[in-house]
C-alpha cells in the first residue's frame, strides 16, 4: 500500500507542471511520414485534426483511451487505395514553393550582376556588344604586333637596298661627268656632249631617282613609319574600343573605370516575412544571403545562396552558374539546392532553366525543369516539376527601376509513400521587385510575391526587403 501511494505521489508530481501551465501534450507517429508528431492543448480544450481530408474533434481523454488511434486506423484503411494523397500534395506544394522562391532569387541575382536583365544589353560606342568590342580590340592588338615585326624586317631590307642604290647613283654621276668632259672638243662633239650631258643628266636623274629611291626608302621608312602610325592608330582605336567597352561594362557593374580587368561582384542580404494562409506554420521569417560574380565579358555568372526559415527550421544552400552564348540570345542557368530541417527531412534539387528574348526583345521568357530527391521523415521522395515564366524590366526614374516576373510550376510526377504517383496541379508565383539606387554601389530593394495554387487558393504571401552592394 505504501508502494502504491508513493507511485501516485510521483505521478501527481510529474503532472503538476502540466496542470500549473494548463497544457497537455500527446505524441504519436504519423503513418505517412513516419515522423513523431506532438499535439499540445489545454486540459479542458478540444482540438480539430485533419487527416486524409477527414476532420475530427478530440478532447484529452480521447488520446488516452484509444479513441484517437482507432480513428486514425479507420481513416487509413478507408484510403488504402490512395494513401497519403492529401499529405503528398501538401509536401509537394511546400517543396516546390521553396524551390521556386530560390529560383526567383537566383534569377534576380543574375539580372543584377548583368545590369538588370538575364541577357546583357551593354553596347560599346560603335554600337556593338561589349564582349564583341573587347574581342575585336584583342584581335587588332595581335595584328598590330605582327605588322610591326614585319615592317621592321622590311625597313631593314629596304635600307640595305637604298644604300646599294645610292652607291650606284654616285657611280652614274661620275660617268655622266666624264661624258660631259669628253663631249666638249667640237660642235659635233658638243652635240654629242650635249647628248652626253643630257645622258649624264639623265643618269644623274636616274641617280637622283635612285637617291630619291633612298629618299623613298626613307620615305619607305616614312611609309613604314606611316604603317606603324597606321598600326598605332589601329592600336589606339583598339584601345579606345577596349576602353569604351570596359567603361560601359564598369558603368553597368557600378565599378570605377580603372577596374578594366575585373568582373562584377554583388553581395546581397534580405529578410522575408512569410504569412502562411493554411495556418500550419503561421507567420515565418526567412533570412536570405547571396554572392554573385560575373566575368568581364558578361558571358559567365556564378554564385551561392543560402536561406534560413524560422518555425520549420529549414535551411537551404544553393550553388548556381549561368552560361550566356556568344550571340547573347540564350542564357542557360544551372543550380543545385540542398534543403534540410536538421531533423529528418533532407532534399536535393537540381534545376536547369533557359531564358530567351521575345516580343521585340522587350520580354524575357524562361522555361526549365526541377528534379528533387530526398527523404521526408523515413520515406523517400522524388519530384519532377516544370517551370515556365516571363519577365520584363521598367525604369521609373534614373534611380528607381522595377521588374515584374511571373512563374508557373507544374509537377506531373511525385513519388511518395510506397511508390504512388500523384498530380498536385499548378502553382502560380507572381513577383514584383523595386530597386532604389542609394549610392553608386548600393541599392535598396523591396519585393512582393506569393504562391497561389490552381483554383485560386493562396498558400502564402511574402514581403522581401534588403540591399545589394557591388564590389
Amino acid at each position: 500500500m505504501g508502494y502504491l501511494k508513493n507511485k501516485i505521489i510521483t505521478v501527481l508530481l510529474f503532472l503538476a507542471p502540466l496542470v500549473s501551465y494548463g497544457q497537455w501534450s500527446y505524441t504519436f507517429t504519423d503513418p505517412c511520414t513516419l515522423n513523431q508528431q506532438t499535439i499540445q492543448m489545454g486540459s479542458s480544450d478540444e482540438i480539430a485534426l485533419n487527416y486524409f481530408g477527414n476532420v475530427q474533434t478530440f478532447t484529452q481523454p480521447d488520446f488516452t483511451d484509444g479513441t484517437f488511434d482507432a480513428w486514425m486506423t479507420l481513416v487509413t484503411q478507408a484510403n488504402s487505395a490512395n494513401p497519403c494523397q492529401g499529405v503528398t500534395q501538401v509536401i509537394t506544394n511546400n517543396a516546390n514553393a521553396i524551390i521556386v522562391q530560390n529560383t526567383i532569387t537566383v534569377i534576380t541575382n543574375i539580372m543584377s550582376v548583368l545590369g538588370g536583365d538575364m541577357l546583357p544589353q551593354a553596347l560599346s560606342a560603335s554600337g556593338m556588344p561589349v564582349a564583341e568590342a573587347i574581342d575585336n580590340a584583342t584581335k587588332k592588338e595581335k595584328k598590330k604586333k605582327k605588322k610591326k615585326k614585319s615592317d621592321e624586317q622590311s625597313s631593314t631590307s629596304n635600307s640595305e637596298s637604298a644604300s646599294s642604290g645610292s652607291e650606284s647613283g654616285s657611280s652614274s654621276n661620275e660617268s655622266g661627268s666624264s661624258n660631259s668632259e669628253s663631249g666638249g672638243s667640237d660642235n659635233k662633239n658638243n652635240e654629242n656632249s650635249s647628248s652626253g650631258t643630257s645622258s649624264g643628266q639623265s643618269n644623274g636623274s636616274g641617280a637622283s631617282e635612285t637617291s630619291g629611291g633612298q629618299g623613298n626608302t626613307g620615305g619607305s621608312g616614312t611609309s613604314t613609319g606611316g604603317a606603324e602610325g597606321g598600326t598605332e592608330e589601329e592600336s589606339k582605336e583598339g584601345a579606345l574600343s577596349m576602353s569604351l567597352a570596359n567603361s560601359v561594362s564598369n558603368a553597368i557593374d557600378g565599378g570605377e573605370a580603372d577596374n578594366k580587368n575585373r568582373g562584377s561582384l554583388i553581395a546581397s542580404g534580405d529578410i522575408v516575412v512569410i504569412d502562411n494562409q493554411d495556418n500550419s506554420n503561421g507567420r515565418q521569417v526567412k533570412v536570405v544571403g547571396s554572392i554573385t560574380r560575373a566575368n568581364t565579358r558578361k558571358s559567365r555568372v556564378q554564385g551561392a545562396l543560402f536561406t534560413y526559415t524560422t518555425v520549420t527550421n529549414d535551411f537551404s544552400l544553393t550553388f548556381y552558374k549561368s552560361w550566356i552564348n556568344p550571340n547573347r540570345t540564350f542564357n542557360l542557368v544551372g543550380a543545385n539546392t540542398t534543403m534540410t530541417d536538421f531533423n529528418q527531412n533532407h532534399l536535393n534539387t537540381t534545376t536547369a532553366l533557359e531564358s530567351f528574348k521575345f516580343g521585340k526583345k522587350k520580354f524575357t521568357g524562361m522555361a526549365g525543369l526541377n528534379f528533387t530527391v530526398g527523404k521526408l521523415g523515413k520515406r523517400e521522395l522524388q519530384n519532377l516539376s516544370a517551370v515556365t515564366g516571363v519577365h520584363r524590366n521598367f525604369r521609373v526614374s534614373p534611380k528607381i527601376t522595377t521588374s515584374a516576373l511571373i512563374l508557373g510550376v507544374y509537377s506531373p510526377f511525385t513519388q511518395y509513400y510506397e511508390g504512388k504517383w500523384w498530380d498536385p496541379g499548378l502553382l502560380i508565383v507572381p513577383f514584383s521587385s523595386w530597386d532604389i539606387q542609394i549610392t553608386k554601389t548600393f541599392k535598396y530593394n523591396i519585393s512582393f510575391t506569393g504562391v497561389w495554387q490552381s483554383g485560386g487558393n493562396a498558400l502564402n504571401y511574402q514581403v522581401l526587403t534588403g540591399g545589394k552592394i557591388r564590389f
Side-chain angles (χ1 to χ4, degrees):
M1 187 71 180
Y3 174 76
L4 179 61
K5 181 179 179 182
N6 290 336
K7 289 209 58 167
I8 294 174
I9 293 174
T10 302
V11 171
L12 291 175
L13 290 174
F14 176 76
L15 294 176
L18 295 178
V19 174
S20 61
Y21 286 99
Q23 292 291 325
W24 179 86
S25 64
Y26 178 77
T27 301
F28 67 99
T29 300
D30 188 319
C32 285
T33 64
L34 299 182
N35 287 340
Q36 293 291 314
Q37 302 288 342
T38 300
I39 299 173
Q40 293 185 345
M41 59 185 295
S43 57
S44 59
D45 292 342
E46 293 183 345
I47 185 170
L49 296 179
N50 186 332
Y51 185 57
F52 282 124
N54 294 267
V55 180
Q56 182 71 29
T57 301
F58 299 95
T59 61
Q60 179 179 337
D62 293 331
F63 292 98
T64 57
D65 62 12
T67 302
F68 171 74
D69 293 331
W71 174 77
M72 286 189 62
T73 301
L74 181 64
V75 174
T76 301
Q77 291 175 351
N79 290 272
S80 59
N82 197 2
C84 300
Q85 173 177 310
V87 174
T88 303
Q89 180 174 355
V90 172
I91 288 173
T92 303
N93 285 341
N94 289 341
N96 282 333
I98 295 173
I99 292 166
V100 77
Q101 292 298 337
N102 284 352
T103 301
I104 288 177
T105 305
V106 169
I107 290 171
T108 55
N109 285 347
I110 292 175
M111 288 178 179
S112 296
V113 81
L114 291 180
D117 210 338
M118 287 295 285
L119 294 167
Q121 298 297 321
L123 300 177
S124 67
S126 61
M128 66 178 64
V130 171
E132 187 177 346
I134 293 175
D135 289 338
N136 290 343
T138 304
K139 290 177 182 178
K140 287 182 179 180
E141 183 67 21
K142 290 180 180 179
K143 288 175 68 176
K144 168 199 166 184
K145 291 180 180 179
K146 289 181 180 179
K147 192 169 184 179
K148 184 176 181 181
K149 185 177 180 180
S150 176
D151 288 340
E152 285 176 354
Q153 293 175 349
S154 176
S155 176
T156 303
S157 176
N158 288 335
S159 296
E160 292 175 357
S161 298
S163 299
S164 175
S166 177
E167 292 175 0
S168 174
S170 299
S171 175
S172 298
N173 281 333
E174 291 175 0
S175 175
S177 298
S178 175
N179 288 336
S180 179
E181 290 173 0
S182 63
S185 59
D186 52 57
N187 292 333
K188 186 175 181 179
N189 289 336
N190 282 337
E191 293 175 1
N192 292 333
S193 174
S194 297
S195 176
T197 304
S198 177
S199 174
Q201 288 175 348
S202 176
N203 288 333
S205 174
S208 177
E209 287 177 6
T210 306
S211 178
Q214 184 180 3
N216 284 337
T217 302
S220 176
T222 305
S223 176
T224 303
E228 291 175 358
T231 307
E232 288 174 3
E233 287 178 3
E234 290 179 0
S235 174
K236 290 178 181 178
E237 183 182 352
L240 179 60
S241 297
M242 178 75 79
S243 176
L244 289 171
N246 282 307
S247 294
V248 175
S249 178
N250 284 305
I252 291 176
D253 297 340
E256 298 295 337
D258 59 354
N259 295 333
K260 295 180 180 180
N261 296 320
R262 295 175 59 187
S264 302
L265 182 65
I266 289 182
S268 66
D270 304 297
I271 295 178
V272 186
V273 177
I274 304 172
D275 188 8
N276 293 289
Q277 296 303 293
D278 59 2
N279 295 321
S280 59
N281 297 314
R283 182 165 293 176
Q284 298 173 281
V285 175
K286 181 165 69 173
V287 178
V288 182
S290 66
I291 186 165
T292 309
R293 181 186 180 277
N295 63 0
T296 305
R297 298 185 182 186
K298 299 290 189 296
S299 59
R300 296 289 183 272
V301 179
Q302 55 190 354
L305 161 73
F306 77 88
T307 68
Y308 174 75
T309 308
T310 61
V311 181
T312 54
N313 200 32
D314 292 328
F315 174 84
S316 73
L317 178 62
T318 303
F319 294 99
Y320 52 92
K321 190 167 184 177
S322 169
W323 295 267
I324 301 168
N325 72 333
N327 296 327
R328 300 191 173 207
T329 54
F330 293 96
N331 184 353
L332 175 64
V333 179
N336 185 267
T337 302
T338 299
M339 296 180 289
T340 181
D341 63 358
F342 302 101
N343 187 13
Q344 295 179 330
N345 301 327
H346 312 282
L347 300 173
N348 184 271
T349 301
T350 300
T351 300
L353 185 73
E354 184 74 86
S355 62
F356 51 89
K357 286 287 189 180
F358 71 96
K360 297 183 179 180
K361 296 187 176 181
K362 292 182 179 180
F363 298 91
T364 301
M366 303 173 191
L369 292 173
N370 300 312
F371 182 65
T372 301
V373 294
K375 282 191 173 184
L376 292 177
K378 295 181 180 180
R379 299 195 186 278
E380 293 185 356
L381 169 72
Q382 295 184 18
N383 178 45
L384 178 67
S385 62
V387 181
T388 59
V390 63
H391 168 265
R392 185 177 180 182
N393 282 328
F394 302 91
R395 181 170 291 278
V396 179
S397 71
K399 289 192 174 184
I400 300 177
T401 57
T402 181
S403 62
L405 171 67
I406 184 167
L407 292 177
V409 185
Y410 178 74
S411 292
F413 304 108
T414 301
Q415 185 176 10
Y416 187 70
Y417 193 84
E418 299 178 356
K420 298 296 181 179
W421 295 83
W422 168 244
D423 179 4
L426 179 69
L427 296 182
I428 304 296
V429 185
F431 177 82
S432 176
S433 176
W434 295 75
D435 282 331
I436 304 172
Q437 188 84 37
I438 304 300
T439 67
K440 190 175 182 180
T441 59
F442 178 75
K443 284 184 179 180
Y444 171 74
N445 173 270
I446 183 168
S447 303
F448 306 92
T449 185
V451 180
W452 273 262
Q453 197 174 7
S454 55
N457 297 325
L459 299 183
N460 63 58
Y461 300 100
Q462 300 185 26
V463 178
L464 177 151
T465 182
K468 298 182 178 72
I469 185 168
R470 297 178 185 269
F471 296 93

